[in-house]
Amino acid sequence: MKHDRIKSKVFFYTTSPLSCPYLEGQVERRIVTELTGTDSDDLHNALSKSGFRRSHYMAYAPVCPNCNACIPVRVDVANFNLSKNWKRIRNKFAHLDVTLCPARATQEQFSLFEAYQKSRHFDGDMALMDFFDYRSMVEETPIPTSVVEFREGGKLVSALLMDHLDDGVSAVYSFFDHAKDYQGLGNYMVLWAINECANNNLPYVYLGYLIKDCRKMSYKSRYSPLEGCVDGVWTALDPL
């Protein structure tokens, strides 16, 4: 990885093959590198523009042996299509109080996170996380990161763990109240991030990996226009 502002050497490693958590019968393998030292922010920006994601102090990208279903995607903020459905969701939750908080885990956040996992992802590994695992996910970051809290009448109803990039923001993870009244709140957090970037003249919201054949990961195609990083080049993606 060549980048003018990165002075130190960067070493990349590949993980051992594991069963893919998204597509049955597929094998997952990743290329990873550490985000450490004074160049960590510059390195993270460069890698994000090459399709990498961050987890704790690591940046990673899929290098699966028999599959290329994971497509890094980002929303083109300036040309985002605010459809009637998006306007409805925006208006539904426009009254929420929003606060950008430091990347510090709280018991209140974890209680909401735990309830979300049990209601939406009870069969996943994250449902087994305790408070210390959650704190590690939030606080182990070498780059500018925020927890965006959304409240109704003082009650925490959703949160977005968000990395700050030089060309936008990266939605690391989000969770929300599973009550019926809050349906669409996950979408609203993305709409909020898009609007936040627009207000700050930042061009992109990075949403991670789109997997067309996985219901949990295909929703990202709803945000149009969407760009995907294919063979290191960002290009406009056709709607599903």
Side-chain angles (χ1 to χ4, degrees):
M1 174 63 61
K2 183 179 179 180
H3 195 279
D4 291 342
R5 292 180 295 172
I6 298 173
K7 306 300 181 182
S8 57
K9 291 183 178 179
V10 181
F11 298 94
F12 293 87
Y13 309 89
T14 53
T15 62
S16 300
L18 295 171
S19 177
C20 177
Y22 301 113
L23 297 177
E24 186 176 355
Q26 292 292 348
V27 173
E28 176 192 61
R29 199 168 192 184
R30 295 178 175 183
I31 183 170
V32 300
T33 190
E34 288 187 276
L35 298 171
T36 58
T38 57
D39 292 333
S40 59
D41 194 19
D42 292 335
L43 177 59
H44 181 247
N45 277 293
L47 291 173
S48 295
K49 294 169 187 174
S50 299
F52 279 68
R53 294 288 285 170
R54 182 190 68 83
S55 177
H56 304 265
Y57 292 100
M58 307 295 293
Y60 68 90
V63 285
C64 306
N66 302 308
C67 179
N68 58 359
C70 291
I71 303 174
V73 291
R74 65 188 186 187
V75 181
D76 178 357
V77 170
N79 296 302
F80 176 65
N81 177 27
L82 189 63
S83 66
K84 289 183 179 180
N85 183 55
W86 290 148
K87 289 180 181 178
R88 179 185 61 80
I89 292 176
R90 181 194 62 183
N91 295 337
K92 179 180 178 180
F93 296 111
H95 65 284
L96 296 182
D97 296 317
V98 185
T99 306
L100 267 72
C101 305
R104 296 290 182 268
T106 67
Q107 185 61 52
E108 183 185 29
Q109 293 168 9
F110 176 69
S111 295
L112 181 61
F113 171 84
E114 188 176 39
Y116 172 80
Q117 295 301 329
K118 290 180 178 178
S119 66
R120 300 290 292 264
H121 304 291
F122 59 89
D123 57 344
D125 291 341
M126 295 185 78
L128 303 175
M129 290 172 59
D130 60 19
F131 176 76
F132 299 102
D133 296 323
Y134 173 76
R135 186 171 68 180
S136 176
M137 180 180 78
V138 171
E139 298 185 5
E140 290 184 1
T141 173
I143 54 131
T145 300
S146 297
V147 178
V148 189
E149 294 186 341
F150 298 78
R151 295 180 179 272
E152 184 174 49
K155 174 189 174 184
L156 182 67
V157 295
S158 67
L160 168 65
L161 182 62
M162 184 178 76
D163 287 344
H164 299 270
L165 306 172
D166 60 11
D167 65 346
V169 300
S170 175
V172 178
Y173 197 77
S174 63
F175 51 94
F176 50 91
D177 193 310
H178 64 280
K180 185 177 181 180
D181 289 345
Y182 298 117
Q183 287 182 357
L185 191 45
N187 292 316
Y188 178 73
M189 286 187 281
V190 177
L191 296 177
W192 177 88
I194 293 170
N195 186 65
E196 185 75 1
C197 282
N199 289 339
N200 289 280
N201 296 313
L202 295 170
Y204 301 114
V205 173
Y206 290 78
L207 294 180
Y209 296 112
L210 167 68
I211 305 176
K212 295 180 180 180
D213 293 328
C214 175
R215 181 182 58 83
K216 292 180 180 179
M217 302 293 280
S218 62
Y219 74 92
K220 300 170 186 181
S221 63
R222 302 172 191 163
Y223 303 96
S224 178
L226 197 66
E227 296 181 357
C229 187
V230 180
D231 296 327
V233 177
W234 290 95
T235 184
L237 297 179
D238 295 327
L240 292 182

